[in-house]
């Protein structure tokens, strides 16, 4: 492949990644701190007047967006290398603007700590990826059970603690669905409530356990995080803390899937194996060999990749966030694979793009039958959401020819300088910056 291939026709009005496929990768990929944990831990820092230092923070646009929201409420925020220091002493506001919150779903989780700290919070309905309806009923219902009056006007949800000097009351709460965000919102609210809150049918995701870790380091009393029943005994005040974010299991999973798809030997580190057991089991069933080494995992694929069946589920089931990247892998595995998305109702948008690259996929509602093909072909594609964009990068690494992946505004929400990190292990991938290209042409 020559450099001329990089100039294949593509909408240069958009920044995109240009990938020359079919390169074997080799070496080590470092996994950053978990985006979804970091965002929630940032929200939790609202609960204290004292500084909270978060280490191992990923450098992502979503983190910048959350920092902007917190600063707009009066919080202090500054970065020291990969640590962030959040100072809640100056927090005066409880009403983040729609302009800032619409960028990310996790902004809504602020409603819990804001109402716990101020007795009142007004938070716009959330933005984030367009992968389904993303309701917030479980969050509101739980806060209501704790004594908050909930109302909605012009897309803004208001929560106001009634009586008891603006303090929420602990109580038993049963979630109809083990929503990650609702579990986290209610844990944060309950940490400063009066009395005991018991969350039944709580989410068991590692990010929930990480949140409990930070809250406990701040002086909260929490038991059972990581199981379906979490008990929180409210305290009057939380203090500052110094806490490290867990490694990103979705980023680690994306790297392992990329290694399998390109038949590469890669060391991915650090990885908490128990956070990825459902994904590792599927990769092994497909023919990958995965062994622990130091803090991470080394993956190789000695033989043929075989198709398999994947059904997304809440943790410890197969994560919905890796369904799209995994489908890129299945599209070149031998035989038939079946994928069922059970968590979000609109999370198969990558199928059409994979089909354009030659993948044989038939969908029926939220299920897909993938008939493995020997090869994908490089074409211009779009990542329609964060994880769909990661799937397109994996497909591009595998494909014959040049793949141009646009939708980088989604990709950059969850992966730090992905192209530079893949380049370092041998991928031929570069970023074409549309703003720069336009300036040079002018
Ligand atoms: C979090 C993650 C996201 C991941 C998802 C599921 C963050 C910032 N994002 O999103 O990357 O894909 O968990 O692992 O942490 N639901 C209800 N009622 C509610 C809330 C949710 O029915 O009140 C449903 C949703 O429609 C969806 C399912 O629950 O079908 C999962 O959503 P949820 O666990 O809440 O995901 P998030 O916390 O938004």
């Amino acid at each position: 492949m020559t450099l001329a291939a990089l100039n294949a026709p593509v909408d240069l009005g958009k920044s995109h990644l240009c990938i020359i496929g079919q390169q074997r990768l080799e070496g080590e990929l470092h996994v950053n701190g978990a985006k979804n944990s970091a965002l929630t831990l940032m929200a939790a820092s609202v609960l204290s007047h004292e500084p909270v230092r978060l280490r191992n923070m990923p450098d992502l646009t979503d983190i910048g967006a959350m920092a902007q929201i917190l600063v707009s409420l009066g919080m202090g925020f500054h970065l020291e290398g990969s640590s962030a220091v959040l100072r809640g002493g100056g927090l005066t506001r409880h009403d983040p603007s729609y302009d800032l919150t619409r960028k990310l779903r996790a902004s809504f989780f602020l409603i819990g700590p804001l109402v716990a700290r101020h007795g009142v919070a007004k938070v716009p309905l959330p933005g984030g990826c367009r992968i389904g309806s993303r309701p917030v009923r479980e969050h509101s219902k739980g806060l209501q059970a704790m004594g908050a009056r909930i109302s909605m006007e012009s897309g803004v949800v208001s929560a106001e603690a009634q009586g008891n000097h603006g303090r929420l009351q602990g109580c038993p709460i049963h979630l109809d669905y083990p929503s990650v965000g609702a579990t986290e919102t209610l844990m944060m609210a309950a940490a400063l409530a009066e009395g005991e809150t018991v969350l039944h049918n709580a989410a068991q995701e590692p990010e929930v356990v990480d949140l409990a870790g930070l809250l406990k380091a701040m002086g909260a009393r929490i038991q059972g995080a990581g199981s379906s029943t979490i008990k929180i005994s409210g305290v009057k005040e939380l203090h500052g803390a110094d806490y490290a974010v867990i490694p990103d299991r979705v980023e680690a999973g994306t790297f392992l899937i990329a290694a399998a798809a390109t038949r590469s030997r890669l060391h991915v580190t650090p990885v908490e194996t128990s956070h990825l057991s459902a994904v590792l089991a599927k990769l092994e069933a497909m023919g990958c060999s995965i062994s622990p080494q130091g803090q991470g995992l080394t993956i190789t694929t000695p033989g043929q990749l075989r198709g398999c069946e994947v059904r997304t589920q809440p943790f410890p089931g197969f994560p919905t966030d890796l369904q799209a990247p995994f489908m890129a892998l299945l599209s070149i595995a031998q035989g038939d694979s079946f994928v069922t998305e059970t968590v979000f109702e609109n999370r198969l948008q990558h199928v059409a793009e994979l089909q354009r690259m030659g993948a044989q996929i038939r969908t029926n509602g939220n299920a897909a039958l993938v008939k493995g093909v020997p090869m994908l072909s490089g074409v211009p594609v779009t990542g329609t959401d964060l994880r769909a964009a990661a799937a397109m990068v994996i497909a591009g690494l595998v494909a014959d020819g040049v793949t141009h992946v646009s939708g980088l505004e989604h990709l950059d929400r969850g992966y730090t300088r992905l192209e530079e990190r893949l380049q370092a292990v041998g991928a031929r991938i570069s970023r074409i910056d549309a703003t720069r290209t336009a300036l040079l042409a002018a």
Side-chain angles (χ1 to χ4, degrees), residues 35-37 39-40 62 104-107 109 131-140 176-184 203 205 207 249-250 313-315 319-321 342-345 347 386-387 413:
K35 168 182 86 84
N36 287 347
S37 251
L39 290 170
T40 309
D62 264 15
L104 71 163
R105 165 80 177 171
S107 58
F109 307 170
I131 53 179
S133 63
R134 320 282 312 244
V136 293
R137 192 169 161 270
E138 297 300 320
H139 310 56
S140 315
D176 287 338
Y177 185 92
S179 153
V180 178
T183 301
E184 293 172 340
E205 268 69 2
E207 293 76 19
R249 64 192 169 108
V250 182
Q313 268 164 347
F315 190 83
T320 173
D321 286 349
T342 74
V343 178
F344 289 108
E345 71 264 28
R347 211 173 198 180
L386 165 54
R387 306 304 170 185
R413 291 184 48 217

Side-chain angles (χ1 to χ4, degrees), residues 255-264 283 288 301 305 325 328-329 332 394-395 397-398:
F255 291 160
L256 292 168
I257 294 166
T262 53
R263 305 298 189 81
S264 302
L283 286 171
C288 299
T301 308
L305 282 166
L329 171 66
I332 48 141
I394 291 172
L397 292 173
V398 170

Side-chain angles (χ1 to χ4, degrees), residues 7 79 123 135 220 251 374 418:
N7 297 323
L79 287 171
V123 184
E251 185 174 83
L418 185 60

